[in-house]
Amino acid sequence: AVVATDLTPLERLRRESSLVAAEASLLLQEIANLTHGRARVGRDWEKAAKHFLELLARNHGADRACWYLYDFDGGLCIRGAEWAQPGMESPPDVPRQFPLDQFGKWVEKLMVGQYIEIEDVSRIEEPELREILERRGMKSVLAVPVVEGDRCTGWIALYGVRARQRFAPEVIEAIKVVAETAAGIHRLQKTRDELEESHRKLTVALEESERLRLAAEQASRAKSEFLATMSHEIRTPLNGVLGVLSLLEADPLPATTREHVQMARDSAHALLTLLNDLLDLARIEAGAMTMVKQDTDLLELMEQSLAAVAQPAAAKGLTLMSLVDARLPARIRTDPARLRQVLLNLIGNAVKFTERGRVLLQAGLAASEEPEICIRVRDTGPGIAWMEIDSIFEPFQQGCARDEGGRGVGLGLTLSRRLTELLGGQLEVVSEPGCGSEFSVRLPLPKWDATIAAASRPLAELQILVLDEQPWRREAICWQLAEWGATVRVEGLAADCCHAVLAGPGFGEMLAHILEACAARGSRKRPKIGLIVAMGADREAERLAMKLNAELFVEPLRWRRLLGWLRSDAAASSAAPALQLHESGQTVRNTRVPFVLIVDDNAVNRRVTSALLEKLGCRTETAASGEEALQRMAEGRPELVLLDLEMPGMSGLEVARRVREGQAEGVSPSLRLYALTAHVLPEEREKALAAGLNGFLAKPVSLEHLRQLVEECFAGTGPG
């Protein structure tokens, strides 16, 4: 038996489908190209769709082909594109859009994905629909829905105009596939519309963003200039206020007047602190604050921070103490200036709000997965309620309990938290009303290795007796000495077995008995005696120290000096202050009389700076302008010049450039030039150093700042 099948129609259908697919691919590419802005969407899409309909109609023998699109919002059907044999186009009076309900059940069937085939239009039962089709010259119709995903968006219709025509089922299925491709083309066209709209919105947004960026930069520059100007204008008179107060404090005054001067000085310093905090916060907000990290001696930084608040703490009778875990590295990688600023804020707050008791600054290892250092500031102040803890870190906020009698505007903690975060750490607080507060600064230790960080024991094999009437201070001193390896006792240790005795002035009689007992036994080993006294101790403590041949240690304890004294006399002397003592006890002072020229256009600042320098033993002259300064330099030959940077006429920067470039006749290009200015921003410092100045002092300048400068320039005690 032989079964024969004619494959010609199937092959023809396959070829036609391939041709349609190829044409559809070209059309898709054409639409894709349009998304790059090569042509307008509406006109080019209609041209492409018409070409597509022509291909479809010719392949299937239709006289006319139309692509209809739904407008569901308007209830309309729109003829989007049409192709027809010459002379068989839609009549000119036929509208391009018509109501959807005009086609009745046609639309319902197409909407659910069914096709409609009418071989003979004259047999349509609906008279209105039959009239519409006949008036347009149609004899047969094939309508195939265009489905995008699960939604019908229109239909493609093939018409027989010259004669009735019937389409084979396989042709109808092929047209369905083509309709899906057409739906993809239409979807691309809508995507193109959306892309164009998005591009337009994006362009507008970018233009608006650029406008806002320029406005923000201009506002930031204006704010920076305003802050710099206001800082300069405030610091200039403030320099005179603080300078005059320093001069008054050095004179003999009645007790009431001295108290008033101290109150004025404290208020001026509070204003200066507020000004500095505002500038730092503005720089942080502008992203202009940079951290300069370097190897920093942690113990020295802590001692410097405590020393800065020693006087107000002593005035309130508070005990200040620093403790360091011996496992910590001696030097850490951080920005010392910014970390000191954070610690000063925290310690200053603790002293300010604590009326009695103690303030402890302690550094140790944090309990965390990664190596971290934790620096804690503990006080015995009023504490903070838990509901207020978050608010104290907001600008211009303070806890109610801490507000009573406190000064400040609440910027210190805000600035401290921001600076700690810039250092890569966290600032936390634990507190309870009536139980004091503990602020913790946690910083990473990237180079710390727990396997090699063995405890440093500089006092190993030493036995030390600690005598103190304050239990808390005695325990703290014992803990620190034990951390460094010493054997510490508070009683029951024979005097001749001690290497040293640390005691308060109240144990003078006991110390005398210890020394007498050693002498009576003929012991060759005499313990060292160290007296711990509060800042501002009276002459009685000094006389006791001379009687016992003891070393005086003023609170807060400087552990570096104490370590050197305990280990050897040489180490103790190397850790002493810059001004050393002869064996006779007289201070060694430089017998030179430095000659300093002060250049400032403000008369009050000239007088104040001159008076402060004269108290340090300097000879001074003044100049009110850059031109006068160059003349005085040539005539008087000063050894040091303090230059105000902002002056009418020739500025301080211009004076420095002329001196360094050898343009100032009779003036040595190597003359020491230091800026003494109310400008404090880093960029101003960079300008000063670039102009050739040796250093930079910010107003208001204190007697201590000037003392350090004189020692650095003339006594050889500084780095130069």
Side-chain angles (χ1 to χ4, degrees):
V2 178
V3 178
T5 303
D6 184 2
L7 299 180
T8 304
L10 182 60
E11 289 297 326
R12 185 174 66 250
L13 179 61
R14 184 178 292 115
R15 287 195 301 271
E16 291 173 352
S17 299
S18 299
L19 183 61
V20 170
E23 182 67 15
S25 176
L26 292 175
L27 289 172
L28 289 172
Q29 183 62 45
E30 183 176 351
I31 296 297
N33 290 339
L34 294 180
T35 62
H36 298 289
R38 298 181 181 177
R40 295 183 60 82
V41 174
R43 185 180 67 249
D44 288 342
W45 178 84
E46 186 175 346
K47 178 181 178 182
K50 183 177 181 180
H51 186 51
F52 173 76
L53 292 174
E54 178 185 3
L55 175 66
L56 192 62
R58 289 185 183 278
N59 283 340
H60 299 290
D63 298 320
R64 185 192 305 163
C66 294
W67 190 340
Y68 297 97
L69 303 173
Y70 288 140
D71 177 9
F72 293 105
D73 294 334
L76 299 174
C77 187
I78 303 170
R79 187 173 72 238
E82 178 184 23
W83 175 86
Q85 295 284 359
M88 299 182 186
E89 298 86 355
S90 294
D93 60 336
V94 175
R96 290 180 62 91
Q97 59 185 31
F98 47 87
L100 278 175
D101 56 6
Q102 195 174 53
F103 282 81
K105 294 181 179 180
W106 274 33
V107 175
E108 295 177 7
K109 293 180 67 176
L110 291 169
M111 289 289 288
V112 297
Q114 299 180 15
Y115 73 92
I116 298 172
E117 183 180 14
I118 301 175
E119 184 179 356
D120 187 354
V121 170
S122 62
R123 296 180 181 180
I124 295 177
E125 296 179 359
E126 295 89 344
E128 293 182 2
L129 181 58
R130 183 175 63 251
E131 181 182 355
I132 291 173
L133 296 176
E134 287 179 344
R135 185 162 55 87
R136 297 179 182 178
M138 303 175 188
K139 292 184 171 57
S140 58
V141 179
L142 173 64
V144 179
V146 176
V147 181
E148 296 183 21
D150 58 352
R151 184 168 177 265
C152 180
T153 61
W155 76 82
I156 293 176
L158 300 181
Y159 300 112
V161 178
R162 291 174 296 184
R164 291 190 295 272
Q165 183 177 1
R166 182 175 179 81
F167 298 95
E170 59 268 22
V171 173
I172 295 173
E173 291 301 321
I175 294 177
K176 282 185 178 181
V177 175
V178 173
E180 291 179 3
T181 304
I185 296 174
H186 181 241
R187 188 164 54 251
L188 283 175
Q189 188 261 344
K190 290 198 300 184
T191 302
R192 163 66 192 279
D193 291 343
E194 294 170 359
L195 284 172
E196 279 202 340
E197 180 64 17
S198 299
H199 181 267
R200 186 190 65 79
K201 291 181 178 179
L202 180 60
T203 302
V204 172
L206 287 174
E207 292 173 352
E208 180 67 10
S209 174
E210 179 66 12
R211 186 187 66 79
L212 292 175
R213 183 186 66 82
L214 294 175
E217 288 181 354
Q218 184 177 359
S220 178
R221 285 193 299 269
K223 182 176 72 172
S224 298
E225 292 172 1
F226 171 76
L227 286 172
T229 302
M230 290 306 299
S231 172
H232 181 275
E233 296 303 319
I234 294 174
R235 284 173 183 275
T236 298
L238 192 58
N239 182 64
V241 171
L242 285 171
V244 171
L245 292 174
S246 298
L247 294 173
L248 285 174
E249 283 186 313
D251 294 336
L253 297 172
T256 304
T257 305
R258 181 170 297 279
E259 183 179 353
H260 292 167
V261 170
Q262 290 173 349
M263 292 171 62
R265 182 201 59 193
D266 292 344
S267 298
H269 278 294
L271 176 59
L272 179 60
T273 300
L274 171 61
L275 189 62
N276 290 335
D277 288 350
L278 285 172
L279 280 174
D280 285 340
L281 278 176
R283 292 176 59 207
I284 291 175
E285 292 293 341
M289 178 74 74
T290 57
M291 298 291 107
V292 183
K293 295 188 177 183
Q294 60 192 54
D295 289 339
T296 303
D297 189 316
L298 177 61
L299 183 58
E300 182 180 355
L301 186 143
M302 293 172 62
E303 291 180 347
Q304 290 174 353
S305 301
L306 282 181
V309 297
Q311 286 186 347
K316 301 174 77 170
L318 301 178
T319 299
L320 290 180
M321 183 70 69
S322 63
L323 298 176
V324 179
D325 191 329
R327 294 174 297 170
L328 287 175
R331 304 181 75 82
I332 62 173
R333 189 77 177 173
T334 188
D335 186 323
R338 295 307 173 188
L339 180 56
R340 184 185 298 110
Q341 187 175 356
V342 172
L343 296 182
L344 280 175
N345 273 332
L346 299 181
I347 300 169
N349 276 350
V351 170
K352 179 167 65 175
F353 294 110
T354 303
E355 294 303 322
R356 61 182 64 87
R358 60 188 182 270
V359 174
L360 173 66
L361 177 62
Q362 184 174 12
L365 291 174
S368 58
E369 297 180 359
E370 298 295 329
E372 284 185 331
I373 181 175
C374 183
I375 305 176
R376 297 180 175 89
V377 177
R378 299 175 181 171
D379 63 52
T380 54
I384 310 169
W386 65 269
M387 71 283 293
E388 298 173 357
I389 286 181
D390 289 337
S391 65
I392 64 174
F393 290 104
E394 296 298 324
F396 308 105
Q397 297 292 326
Q398 291 180 326
C400 296
R402 301 171 72 86
D403 229 7
E404 298 174 2
R407 295 186 304 274
V409 294
L411 286 179
L413 289 178
T414 303
L415 180 60
S416 296
R417 171 168 277 186
R418 302 280 184 88
L419 290 175
T420 303
E421 291 171 352
L422 289 175
L423 289 170
Q426 295 177 331
L427 176 58
E428 302 169 347
V429 59
V430 176
S431 184
E432 186 177 341
C435 299
S437 305
E438 178 183 304
F439 287 83
S440 302
V441 177
R442 300 166 68 101
L443 299 172
L445 281 175
K447 296 183 179 180
W448 188 83
D449 189 346
T451 61
I452 62 174
S456 175
R457 302 175 64 82
L459 301 181
E461 301 180 0
L462 296 186
Q463 297 194 51
I464 303 172
L465 178 63
V466 178
L467 304 172
D468 198 316
E469 60 274 9
Q470 292 189 23
W472 178 85
R473 185 171 59 188
R474 182 177 63 243
E475 292 174 6
I477 294 174
C478 291
W479 183 90
Q480 187 64 72
L481 296 176
E483 274 288 294
W484 287 328
T487 301
V488 187
R489 297 287 187 270
V490 295
E491 59 183 359
L493 188 64
D496 52 1
C497 296
C498 293
H499 177 270
V501 179
L502 290 175
F507 290 86
E509 190 172 332
M510 181 182 292
L511 293 174
H513 288 317
I514 290 175
L515 295 178
E516 290 173 1
C518 289
R521 288 195 297 266
S523 175
R524 295 181 179 180
K525 184 177 180 182
R526 180 183 182 277
K528 295 179 178 181
I529 304 296
L531 286 179
I532 303 173
V533 297
M535 177 173 285
D538 54 17
R539 295 286 183 181
E540 187 64 31
E542 296 180 5
R543 284 194 291 268
L544 178 61
M546 293 180 64
K547 176 182 176 182
L548 300 174
N549 193 23
E551 187 80 8
L552 276 177
F553 295 96
V554 180
E555 285 188 312
L557 285 178
R558 302 297 290 259
W559 291 111
R560 286 265 186 236
R561 181 166 174 256
L562 181 61
L563 274 174
W565 175 76
L566 288 171
R567 294 175 65 183
S568 67
D569 292 336
S573 63
S574 66
L579 293 178
Q580 302 293 330
L581 298 177
H582 279 305
E583 293 181 358
S584 62
Q586 296 299 319
T587 303
V588 179
R589 296 190 181 274
N590 197 321
T591 57
R592 294 178 56 195
V593 179
F595 177 26
V596 183
L597 175 64
I598 302 161
V599 185
D600 199 315
D601 61 321
N602 186 285
V604 174
N605 284 334
R606 289 198 303 272
R607 290 185 59 185
V608 168
T609 308
S610 178
L612 291 174
L613 285 170
E614 288 171 359
K615 278 190 172 293
L616 296 174
C618 298
R619 181 168 65 90
T620 65
E621 284 189 7
T622 62
S625 66
E627 295 81 357
E628 185 182 357
L630 292 176
Q631 182 180 352
R632 294 294 179 89
M633 290 180 202
E635 295 173 353
R637 302 294 178 91
E639 299 168 276
L640 171 64
V641 179
L642 299 181
L643 271 171
D644 184 23
L645 298 185
E646 190 170 305
M647 295 183 292
M650 186 184 298
S651 68
L653 294 177
E654 181 61 26
V655 171
R657 292 191 191 98
R658 294 196 180 191
V659 171
R660 294 295 182 241
E661 294 172 2
Q663 298 178 5
E665 186 177 351
V667 181
S668 171
S670 60
L671 176 63
R672 294 188 186 95
L673 303 174
Y674 278 77
L676 181 55
T677 175
H679 287 299
V680 293
L681 296 180
E683 48 266 31
E684 298 296 335
R685 184 185 300 270
E686 293 171 3
K687 289 179 183 177
L689 297 179
L693 281 93
N694 299 91
F696 191 96
L697 289 179
K699 296 176 183 176
V701 65
S702 66
L703 184 64
E704 185 58 32
H705 290 153
L706 291 174
R707 185 193 306 279
Q708 293 174 3
L709 177 61
V710 171
E711 288 181 353
E712 180 179 311
C713 293
F714 301 110
T717 60

